[in-house]
Amino acid sequence: MIPKCSIIIRSFNEEKHIGRLLEGICKQTLYSQLELILVDSGSTDLTAEIARNAGVKVVNIKPEDFSFGRALNIGCQAASGKYLLFASAHVYPLYTDWVEKMIAPFEKERVALVYGRQVGNEITKYSEEQLFKKWFPSVSNYDQRIPFCNNANAVIRKSLWEEQPYDEQLTGLEDLDWATRIMKKGYSVAYESSATIVHVHEESVSRIRNRYRREAIALKNIYPNERFTFFSFIRLSVGNVWADSIHALHDGKFFKELNSIVAFRVLQFWGTYQGYRQKFQPDETLRMRFYYPNDFKDKLFKKKEQNTSNELGEKIIYSS
């Protein structure tokens, strides 16, 4: 039987979280009609083993070949479902009808993409929680006029992916790019507020800055006419720190969260400013800095240098 929906999960060292996602998927009302695919980009922990033990099809991608778009395209290529549902490995659904709710808006023929609501948990940074509330409100919108979406919790028609794969060169925002291009073809994007997942973000200070830097680089490619100046950095940092502080004061968390608010918002917009200032396309070294933690990058580059040295040695031996 051809599955109604294929769930495609991108992962790297997610053994701490992926079990909860898979447990939530197993409880879905449409579980018998689901196909599960994990696209793993070089995990060194038990992520892939946990997935295999749960009956998930695991597809591997080399870390040096990774981009968000490429990982999705590989997963989509391996999928056989009518709908392709994307979930980050560090999310989990709140309700057993999550998948059912996600694919319901496709009853309308012109709907190309549906994305669901995201909320945080007890470890979510206060400012990120404010972003979730802003980007993922409690009211659904089945005919959204802007291409915003998020592939941590989104689903598309496979037929449209075959017509329009994801851009593999972007350093992020492959979801926004896909939605922008598909809407130009006359299709629509729907937001389903009742299809809720918890998004667990555990980011260091440097990873926050890197996330917004690589997304700004991508945004420049998607919308070349957009600008982000140093004044934009100052204005948005101050404005958002102020707004978050007011919310925190109202919630009785001002003194507890102030340092976190300032750090998150300054790094968010400083990373964005850095991304907009970058004049060249990221090479492999910079891409690895965006996607992987420092200790993993060091091991990978050391291995590559060793392989290059061995290859060079072999060439010298065979040529002498």
Side-chain angles (χ1 to χ4, degrees):
M1 182 182 71
I2 297 176
K4 187 180 186 71
C5 181
S6 299
I7 300 182
I8 299 169
I9 307 163
R10 293 177 295 192
S11 71
F12 172 76
N13 285 354
E14 295 282 5
E15 66 177 6
K16 182 178 178 181
H17 302 291
I18 193 168
R20 192 163 188 178
L21 168 61
L22 296 177
E23 181 182 350
I25 291 174
C26 287
K27 295 177 180 178
Q28 292 299 302
T29 53
L30 293 181
Y31 181 68
S32 62
Q33 302 179 56
L34 301 180
E35 173 186 49
L36 307 185
I37 298 172
L38 180 79
V39 182
D40 188 76
S41 56
S43 290
T44 56
D45 64 3
L46 298 177
T47 300
E49 183 178 341
I50 293 170
R52 288 192 187 95
N53 290 340
V56 179
K57 178 180 180 180
V58 178
V59 181
N60 296 300
I61 179 174
K62 294 179 180 179
E64 57 267 36
D65 294 335
F66 176 84
S67 72
F68 293 101
R70 184 171 297 127
L72 283 182
N73 285 339
I74 289 172
C76 294
Q77 184 67 45
S80 54
K82 181 179 181 181
Y83 304 111
L84 307 175
L85 194 160
F86 309 127
S88 294
H90 48 270
V91 309
Y92 59 89
L94 281 181
Y95 310 112
T96 58
D97 61 353
W98 166 55
V99 176
E100 194 174 343
K101 293 288 188 181
M102 286 289 281
I103 64 176
F106 287 116
E107 292 179 359
K108 294 185 177 181
E109 292 184 4
R110 299 310 293 175
V111 172
L113 180 155
V114 181
Y115 69 102
R117 191 178 187 187
Q118 298 182 35
V119 298
N121 65 356
E122 67 279 356
I123 69 168
T124 302
K125 293 177 176 61
Y126 190 84
S127 291
E128 184 117 55
E129 186 66 52
Q130 303 313 304
L131 288 176
F132 284 153
K133 290 177 181 178
K134 178 180 179 181
W135 293 343
F136 308 106
S138 59
V139 179
S140 298
N141 183 352
Y142 282 11
D143 190 20
Q144 188 172 284
R145 299 301 180 182
I146 60 173
F148 175 79
C149 58
N150 191 284
N151 273 347
N153 184 25
V155 57
I156 64 173
R157 297 181 189 271
K158 184 172 184 183
S159 59
L160 292 180
W161 170 81
E162 291 172 337
E163 176 185 320
Q164 178 183 290
Y166 284 93
D167 189 327
E168 299 187 359
Q169 300 306 310
L170 292 172
T171 53
L173 301 183
E174 80 293 336
D175 39 19
L176 176 66
D177 173 70
W178 196 90
T180 298
R181 290 186 287 132
I182 209 70
M183 289 181 75
K184 288 179 179 178
K185 297 178 180 180
Y187 291 95
S188 63
V189 170
Y191 169 64
E192 178 53 74
S193 64
S194 63
T196 309
I197 55 96
V198 176
H199 194 155
V200 185
H201 253 154
E202 294 183 276
E203 289 181 307
S204 65
V205 168
S206 62
R207 300 303 295 172
I208 294 172
R209 179 174 58 83
N210 272 347
R211 171 159 57 114
Y212 285 100
R213 181 182 175 189
R214 64 172 172 75
E215 288 186 352
I217 293 170
L219 196 62
K220 282 199 310 179
N221 283 278
I222 301 169
Y223 301 120
N225 296 325
E226 292 292 321
R227 296 290 181 268
F228 194 94
T229 65
F230 186 74
F231 176 73
S232 301
F233 159 67
I234 296 295
R235 177 176 58 82
L236 289 171
S237 296
V238 172
N240 281 274
V241 166
W242 176 261
D244 289 354
S245 297
I246 295 298
H247 285 295
L249 191 63
H250 180 268
D251 294 339
K253 298 180 179 180
F254 177 77
F255 293 105
K256 177 184 176 182
E257 300 291 351
L258 181 59
N259 289 340
S260 170
I261 289 170
V262 173
F264 185 94
R265 290 303 191 176
V266 170
L267 290 167
Q268 176 188 5
F269 296 114
W270 182 246
T272 303
Y273 177 64
Q274 286 184 312
Y276 267 90
R277 287 192 66 195
Q278 187 158 312
K279 304 299 183 183
F280 57 89
Q281 288 298 313
D283 59 13
E284 183 183 339
T285 302
L286 184 55
R287 283 176 176 269
M288 292 295 289
R289 186 187 304 167
F290 288 153
Y291 301 142
Y292 295 97
N294 291 331
D295 56 345
F296 184 80
K297 294 198 301 282
D298 293 341
K299 290 178 184 177
L300 185 64
F301 284 127
K302 185 178 292 185
K303 181 178 179 181
K304 289 188 67 177
E305 288 173 359
Q306 183 64 46
N307 290 342
T308 301
S309 177
N310 292 341
E311 183 179 344
L312 180 59
E314 289 174 4
K315 288 182 179 178
I316 292 173
I317 290 172
Y318 290 134
S319 62
S320 60

